[in-house]
Amino acid sequence: MSPPTSADDRFAPLKVLSAYEMVAATIEREILAGTLCPGDGLGTELDLSRQFAVNRSTVREGIRILEQSGLVERLAGRRLFVTRPQPRSLSNRMAQAMVLHDVTFSEVFGAALVLEVGAAEQAAKCATPTDLAALEANQALALAARDDPERLAALDAAFHRLVAQATQNRVLELARESPSLLFLPTTAIICAQVPEAPGRLLEAHEALIDCLRRRDSEEAGRWMRRHVSDWMKGFRRTGRDPDAPVERALAVAATTET
């Protein structure tokens, strides 16, 4: 029989970590503290089971948690090494979390408006000649792909990634990546169904490159705001509901396309 509770109970029962969670937490703590660095070897599961004095299966479950987090990977057979999580892997997991939380395209749009405009303004201050060359090369490919919605959408995603890289700010670069992953499927749909969409997309890209070249931060922000707002207008033009959860909107889009 459970003990009675009262209004004065303020604390929830403690969760005791299992052995495999303790293995993962211990190794993660050493990585975050810098004691273990990317490239450092951890040995094998058998080595770790001896050190932790636990079963090999316990170590295996703990390592699986670290692998999923991108902190550990297997190289050279069974040996384990510390690694640095890849930005795309982190962004994919965040995008999945947003879908599971039923975020809507209106919410994604609101976040993207802030992040993309901020990135454009910062990029205008910090872009290097190498950044500008990469954006110009992207634009040349996009012009050639004007009549290929899927290819144009992929190049649009790459363009925004290049603008973020031009900020020289990795925090901003990582922050905008997750919501941007939810744009790609719909950008292709918009470019296929809204006749003027490819032209407006290419015009915005050209203007943004010019703003970055001239170091005009204010104008870069205005053009990016227009560019992202065009996405929402195009999304509505396709007949889809911006306030529907993202996954449902994508499912509707996939059904329509097939």
Side-chain angles (χ1 to χ4, degrees), residues 16-128:
V16 179
L17 294 178
S18 63
Y20 75 88
E21 289 174 319
M22 292 176 67
V23 168
T26 300
I27 296 174
E28 180 179 3
R29 186 163 56 248
E30 294 296 303
I31 293 172
L32 295 178
T35 307
L36 290 170
C37 300
D40 287 350
L42 295 174
T44 65
E45 290 179 357
L46 184 58
D47 295 329
L48 291 172
S49 69
R50 290 172 181 159
Q51 293 177 58
F52 284 109
V54 296
N55 294 330
R56 187 171 173 179
S57 60
T58 299
V59 169
R60 184 177 297 117
E61 288 302 312
I63 292 299
R64 183 173 291 119
I65 293 174
L66 296 172
E67 287 177 317
Q68 290 172 347
S69 300
L71 295 174
V72 169
E73 63 180 348
R74 297 174 190 270
L75 297 173
R78 293 175 294 178
R79 298 191 67 80
L80 298 159
F81 291 84
V82 177
T83 187
R84 182 179 288 111
Q86 295 301 308
R88 177 49 68 94
S89 175
L90 294 171
S91 299
N92 282 337
R93 288 200 294 274
M94 181 60 71
Q96 291 167 358
M98 287 191 283
V99 169
L100 291 173
H101 280 276
D102 288 332
V103 301
T104 66
F105 270 115
S106 290
E107 291 176 293
V108 174
F109 166 74
L113 197 61
V114 173
L115 292 168
E116 300 292 348
V117 170
E121 292 173 345
Q122 185 68 19
K125 300 174 183 177
C126 301
T128 66

Side-chain angles (χ1 to χ4, degrees), residues 20-247:
Y20 75 88
E21 289 174 319
M22 292 176 67
V23 168
T26 300
I27 296 174
E28 180 179 3
R29 186 163 56 248
E30 294 296 303
I31 293 172
L32 295 178
T35 307
L36 290 170
C37 300
D40 287 350
L42 295 174
T44 65
E45 290 179 357
L46 184 58
D47 295 329
L48 291 172
S49 69
R50 290 172 181 159
Q51 293 177 58
F52 284 109
V54 296
N55 294 330
R56 187 171 173 179
S57 60
T58 299
V59 169
R60 184 177 297 117
E61 288 302 312
I63 292 299
R64 183 173 291 119
I65 293 174
L66 296 172
E67 287 177 317
Q68 290 172 347
S69 300
L71 295 174
V72 169
E73 63 180 348
R74 297 174 190 270
L75 297 173
R78 293 175 294 178
R79 298 191 67 80
L80 298 159
F81 291 84
V82 177
T83 187
R84 182 179 288 111
Q86 295 301 308
R88 177 49 68 94
S89 175
L90 294 171
S91 299
N92 282 337
R93 288 200 294 274
M94 181 60 71
Q96 291 167 358
M98 287 191 283
V99 169
L100 291 173
H101 280 276
D102 288 332
V103 301
T104 66
F105 270 115
S106 290
E107 291 176 293
V108 174
F109 166 74
L113 197 61
V114 173
L115 292 168
E116 300 292 348
V117 170
E121 292 173 345
Q122 185 68 19
K125 300 174 183 177
C126 301
T128 66
T130 300
D131 293 323
L132 290 170
L135 286 163
E136 288 164 356
N138 174 280
Q139 179 70 345
L141 293 173
L143 287 167
R146 182 185 185 117
D147 298 324
D148 184 344
E150 295 288 341
R151 175 69 172 154
L152 187 57
L155 287 165
D156 177 60
F159 180 90
H160 286 263
R161 196 172 300 118
L162 289 169
V163 170
Q165 289 172 5
T167 67
Q168 319 305 328
N169 185 322
R170 288 173 293 177
V171 175
L172 182 54
E173 187 178 343
L174 285 169
R176 60 146 306 275
E177 183 69 17
S178 298
S180 76
L181 293 177
L182 302 178
F183 273 79
L184 181 56
T186 57
T187 301
I189 294 166
I190 293 167
C191 287
Q193 297 185 13
V194 179
E196 64 271 27
R200 288 182 67 85
L201 182 152
L202 292 167
E203 179 189 11
H205 286 194
E206 190 65 47
L208 282 161
I209 293 171
D210 181 60
C211 290
L212 267 59
R213 190 184 297 113
R214 293 185 290 104
R215 301 288 187 191
D216 190 336
S217 178
E218 185 176 347
E219 188 68 8
R222 278 198 290 267
W223 267 103
M224 185 61 83
R225 182 176 298 277
R226 172 180 167 178
H227 184 35
V228 178
S229 297
D230 270 353
W231 174 86
M232 177 56 85
K233 293 174 184 175
F235 188 82
R236 293 181 184 278
R237 287 273 299 277
T238 65
R240 291 167 175 80
D241 181 7
D243 294 319
V246 166
E247 184 66 13

